[in-house]
């Protein structure tokens, strides 16, 4: 029996993370976002944020939750393609 594996490259939230940073007043830098997530208790660096936004890194559920909280958006908004 063959094992099927579904590989997803990158992540589904990178574009939304970038957009949410840009929509912040004033706009957040990648470094600002990493610092905010560190203040929330999770290790994050500017390089990690950059790799997430460039779809070069997967995002686990705990990271998604922290990204949403730091950006002031919902996890659903980060992962949906809807314009709401």
């Amino acid at each position: 029996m063959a094992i099927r594996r579904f590989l997803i490259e990158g992540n589904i939230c990178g574009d939304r993370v970038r957009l949410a940073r840009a929509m912040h007043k004033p706009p957040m830098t990648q470094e600002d976002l990493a610092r905010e997530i560190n203040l929330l208790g999770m290790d994050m660096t500017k390089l990690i944020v950059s790799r997430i936004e460039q779809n070069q890194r997967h995002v686990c559920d705990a990271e998604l939750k922290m990204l949403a909280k730091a950006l002031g958006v919902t996890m659903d908004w980060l992962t949906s393609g809807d314009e709401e």
Side-chain angles (χ1 to χ4, degrees), residues 50-67:
S50 175
R51 292 186 70 212
I52 289 169
E53 289 183 359
Q54 295 175 33
N55 292 323
Q56 296 175 345
R57 184 180 183 281
H58 290 280
V59 177
C60 73
D61 55 354
E63 291 172 328
L64 185 66
K65 185 176 181 178
M66 288 295 177
L67 284 164

Side-chain angles (χ1 to χ4, degrees), residues 18-38:
R18 187 179 314 105
L19 178 60
R21 281 192 314 101
M23 290 182 349
H24 242 263
K25 302 290 185 219
M28 280 182 123
T29 65
Q30 291 175 339
E31 190 171 322
D32 293 336
L33 178 56
R35 187 178 312 112
E36 185 66 29
I37 291 171
N38 281 308

Side-chain angles (χ1 to χ4, degrees), residues 2-8:
I3 297 176
R4 291 184 179 208
R5 296 181 190 253
F6 297 94
L7 298 176
I8 299 172

